[in-house]
Each structure stands twice: as C-alpha cells, then as structure tokens.
Amino acid sequence: MSDLSQQIKASINLLELIKEYCEVKPIGTNVWAAHCPHPDHNDRTASFRIWYNKTTKNWSWACMGCHNGKKDLNSRYKNYGTDCFAFLQWMSDYKGSKHVLTFPEAIKVLASKLNLSIPAFSNKNIAIIKRLNRNSICYQSNLTTQIKQYLCYRGLDKQDLQQWKIGACDWHYGYRIMFPLFNIDKNVIGFSGRLWNWSKDSIQPKYYNSKCSEVFRKSSYFYGEHLITDKCSDVIITEGVFDVILSHKYKVQNVIATLGTSFTQEHVDKIKKYNKTPIFCLDADNAGQKATLKAISLLAQSGIYSKVCILPTGYDLADLANKEKYNLKEYIRLHTILYWQYILKDTTLYFESKLNELRMEILPSILKVKDSVQTVQEQIMFNNFLIERFGINKVI
C-alpha cells in the first residue's frame, strides 16, 4: 500500500483535484488561491492556498482561515497534513458527516481516479487469513476458569474478552493466553501468546509472537492499529497488549503497542501516515526509558517530534489504567512533556545538582556576613540578593 500511495502522490495533480470542489485562481508563481471549499467554513476572503514546489515536485495546500496544517496547534483539522490524501480526508470531516475517510479509503478514491489497481491479497494470503480467523474462534472456546480469573485480576471483563477475541491454547512450550493480532481490516493476521502462569523463574519467554509471514510483519506492526481514528490528533505508543486493551476500556483512543519489538524505521514510516503526534507511554524503568529515547530519536530524524508521558515508578500503562480508570486520559494529558523537555530532562537534573553543590560551597561565606545584617530593611535586601543571585532561600 505504501508503494501505491507514493505512486499516487507523484501522479495526482492536486490543483485539478481541488478544482472539483471550488474555483481556483493563480496569485503568483506556482501559487493559487480559492475560497475555502470546506463545508464548515464560510470563507469570504479566498483564504485557501495551493502550492507546487518545482524542485521537490510536491503539492501542498492549506486554508489560512480554518486549517494551517500542523503549525496551528488549536486547529481541529491539524492531524491531516497537506497532501492529496489529507485533502480528501479533511473534506469528508465536517459537522454532520456520516463517515470520515480513512487513509486507505482516500488511497482507493485517488487510485480509482488514476485508473490504478489496488493490489489484492493473493489466494494464498486469503487462505492464511481464513485459517487464522478460524484458529482465533477455536482459541476463544479454550479459556479455562483459571485463565478467566487471571484476566479478571488484570482488569478485564467478559466484554473485553469478546471485543479483543482473547483465547487460549497449548502453543510454543506452554499453555498461553492468545491475543489475536488484527490488521486495519480487522482480520486476524497472527497472535501474541502469553504464558498464562509465567513467573520470574520461568524458563520459557513470557510472550511469544507469531513469526513473520506473508500477512504479518513484526517490524512494522502495532497492536491496536485497527482502532486508529481520525477523531483524535495523537497516537499513544506503549509496549504490551494489556496496556492497549485497558486504555481503550477506559475510553482513551489511539493507543497502540509494539509488543516488545524494537522501534524501527518501518514503524516511523507508519507513524508518518497517521499524521498524528506520537506520545510514548513506556515503563519508567531504565529499559523503558532507553527504548523511549531510541524511538523518539529515530522519529526526530524524520522531522517528527514526539511527546512523552512520564509514568509513575513501578507502573506500566495497564497498571495506571486500572488505578485511574476513566481519569486515565486526563492523567496522560497532565503528565505529558514535549520532545525537548524530555531530551533535556537529565541535563536539567545534572545542572541543578551542580548548582546545589556550588550553593553548599558558598554557604559558609554567606553565613560569615549574616551577622552584619542589622535592620529589617537590610534583611529584606539580603534575602532578595541571595534568591536573585544564588537561588538560595532566606537564611535570616
């Protein structure tokens, strides 16, 4: 699908596409203007713009009145972007709209305009998916009372088990809880199996994911990606299946997980297509923070600057969901910091520690002159001096 989307972007004339929705006039070299075609915008000043960059051969668009792409942090439409697919999605997202186009649907619309065929699954792939869906149904009937009790202990109820089609089977050296892996069409393309009675003394791995196949690629897959919605401008990236399931249970949207797989360039490419701001919610331990730094650095190389939610020590997102419940969304909002804040977090701590060392060094000199401060007015001046120059609270 990614090759097809690139072919469409290279072939489509955005100007001609937009002309289907409004009258367009040139206002400069490779720049056109129009009254905004969006149904929610009664544009009287021709604030819509279209650009063509001859060097990069890229089209872009924006409405200065209601849509400024990702530069306008308050825009309802900031999550779409400025290419041909974004234009169609944006045009379908209006008050009273019965359906907002997804990215794959926008691809299909434009592929049809260019008479391009969309690659279909081969007969072999269709057979694989049918088999995996049958297996999923079978696994659901294998849930024992013990496993159901364990899942209840983890915060899941009967509705959660049905929604996520959770099952069980004897799989890869142990009886495992089976979490189906869904593609964007909500078909099962693999499984993540958790050893149900795993402990730190277990020889077998806690989780075992399906191997790569014609229909499943671990290095680009996100668990929960089938529920990505354009109604939310962020995408929350976490680690495990329970993190995703329990976040959705408490109404936090666009939560996806890498299933313990290292963050790759293929993940970056998929995040780009989402046109959303990534928020990383990995564990607060050293391993989790190391993985966070690696992932946000990789995204930054592509010009995508992530946010990071700081989880409490000893908690993962699933634990936090069970604790906060329907307050989880607000907790994430209040404890999320920007890319630069996260990168400079350790530097800030180091700087402050050095400042404290210096304050301790100069404190004897300050105490020597303290007795010379006699009047109330001098005390006020002395304390203000210490705060302004050294960041030391009053010593008198």
Side-chain angles (χ1 to χ4, degrees):
M1 191 72 83
S2 60
D3 292 338
L4 178 62
S5 65
Q6 292 303 317
Q7 183 182 358
I8 291 171
K9 284 180 70 171
S11 304
I12 203 77
N13 185 315
L14 184 62
L15 182 64
E16 295 303 317
L17 175 65
I18 292 173
K19 280 181 179 179
E20 296 179 17
Y21 296 85
C22 59
E23 183 179 347
V24 175
K25 294 181 180 180
I27 59 170
T29 305
N30 298 317
V31 184
W32 294 263
H35 291 282
C36 180
H38 196 275
D40 289 342
H41 187 190
N42 183 19
D43 185 17
R44 299 178 181 179
T45 59
S47 54
F48 191 83
R49 296 290 183 273
I50 307 158
W51 297 273
Y52 180 68
N53 188 317
K54 279 190 173 181
T55 303
T56 61
K57 297 182 179 180
N58 285 333
W59 289 95
S60 59
W61 61 272
C63 177
M64 304 305 176
C66 68
H67 171 71
N68 286 321
K70 292 188 175 179
K71 292 181 182 178
D72 184 358
L73 297 179
N74 296 316
S75 172
R76 171 186 166 195
Y77 311 106
K78 73 184 179 68
N79 51 309
Y80 287 122
T82 59
D83 61 17
C84 52
F85 308 111
F87 178 75
L88 289 184
Q89 289 181 273
W90 178 65
M91 287 297 296
S92 69
D93 186 0
Y94 56 86
K95 294 175 183 176
S97 173
K98 293 183 179 179
H99 179 69
V100 178
L101 285 178
T102 63
F103 180 72
E105 287 171 338
I107 288 179
K108 290 178 182 179
V109 171
L110 293 179
S112 177
K113 284 183 177 292
L114 295 171
N115 294 318
L116 296 175
S117 59
I118 296 176
F121 278 124
S122 66
N123 290 335
K124 180 181 178 182
N125 290 355
I126 292 173
I128 292 173
I129 287 177
K130 284 183 177 179
R131 174 173 55 80
L132 291 171
N133 278 298
R134 285 196 303 269
N135 289 348
S136 176
I137 294 171
C138 179
Y139 297 158
Q140 289 174 68
S141 65
N142 292 342
L143 284 177
T144 64
T145 301
Q146 275 186 309
I147 292 178
K148 287 179 181 178
Q149 288 174 344
Y150 167 76
L151 292 170
C152 179
Y153 165 76
R154 292 297 303 269
L156 276 58
D157 58 26
K158 184 177 180 180
Q159 184 177 342
D160 299 322
L161 303 186
Q162 292 173 347
Q163 178 184 351
W164 296 89
K165 300 182 179 180
I166 299 170
C169 82
D170 194 3
W171 192 56
H172 288 284
Y173 313 107
Y175 205 73
R176 294 182 178 270
I177 304 170
M178 302 299 284
F179 298 89
L181 309 180
F182 303 99
N183 64 9
I184 58 173
D185 296 318
K186 300 184 180 180
N187 284 312
V188 179
I189 56 173
F191 295 93
S192 181
R194 186 197 191 280
L195 200 61
W196 89 269
N197 58 349
W198 182 88
S199 68
K200 292 182 179 179
D201 298 327
S202 297
I203 299 174
Q204 300 303 328
K206 184 194 294 187
Y207 283 93
Y208 193 98
N209 299 326
S210 291
K211 294 180 179 178
C212 291
S213 68
E214 291 87 344
V215 298
F216 172 63
R217 188 173 179 83
K218 284 191 288 188
S219 58
S220 64
Y221 182 74
F222 287 115
Y223 182 74
E225 64 183 16
H226 64 294
L227 295 179
I228 290 286
T229 173
D230 284 325
K231 293 180 181 179
C232 180
S233 60
D234 299 319
V235 58
I236 298 171
I237 302 168
T238 185
E239 186 172 0
V241 291
F242 283 104
D243 300 325
V244 174
I245 295 170
L246 286 163
S247 296
H248 278 277
K249 178 184 180 72
Y250 294 112
K251 308 305 180 185
V252 180
Q253 295 180 313
N254 288 2
V255 182
I256 56 178
T258 58
L259 300 180
T261 302
S262 295
F263 202 81
T264 69
Q265 184 59 45
E266 290 178 80
H267 286 124
V268 172
D269 294 339
K270 187 169 280 189
I271 293 294
K272 284 181 183 178
K273 294 173 187 174
Y274 292 155
N275 280 319
K276 300 181 186 301
T277 302
I279 300 176
F280 281 84
C281 283
L282 304 186
D283 294 358
D285 60 16
N286 289 335
Q289 294 309 293
K290 186 176 179 180
T292 297
L293 181 59
K294 178 184 175 183
I296 67 173
S297 300
L298 193 60
L299 281 160
Q301 292 174 15
S302 294
I304 301 172
Y305 297 102
S306 310
K307 298 178 183 178
V308 178
C309 177
I310 306 299
L311 298 180
T313 302
Y315 279 72
D316 58 22
L317 190 55
D319 298 327
L320 191 63
N322 279 325
K323 178 177 182 289
E324 296 293 331
K325 295 187 169 30
Y326 292 103
N327 295 321
L328 178 63
K329 185 176 181 179
E330 181 66 5
Y331 182 97
I332 292 173
R333 187 185 71 81
L334 293 174
H335 293 82
T336 292
I337 60 177
L338 299 171
Y339 171 83
W340 63 266
Q341 290 175 309
Y342 184 79
I343 293 296
L344 295 179
K345 179 166 61 72
D346 290 340
T347 304
T348 303
L349 291 173
Y350 176 76
F351 178 75
E352 289 176 350
S353 70
K354 287 298 181 183
L355 277 182
N356 285 331
E357 290 178 14
L358 286 171
R359 290 183 184 115
M360 294 303 296
E361 286 182 19
I362 66 171
L363 188 59
S365 299
I366 293 171
L367 294 175
K368 281 181 182 179
V369 300
K370 183 184 72 168
D371 292 339
S372 69
V373 181
Q374 300 294 318
T375 68
V376 173
Q377 184 62 32
E378 284 183 359
Q379 289 178 3
I380 293 172
M381 292 173 61
F382 183 69
N383 288 327
N384 286 341
F385 176 82
L386 294 181
I387 292 171
E388 291 174 4
R389 295 297 180 92
F390 306 117
I392 297 176
N393 289 327
K394 66 179 183 179
V395 295
I396 296 179

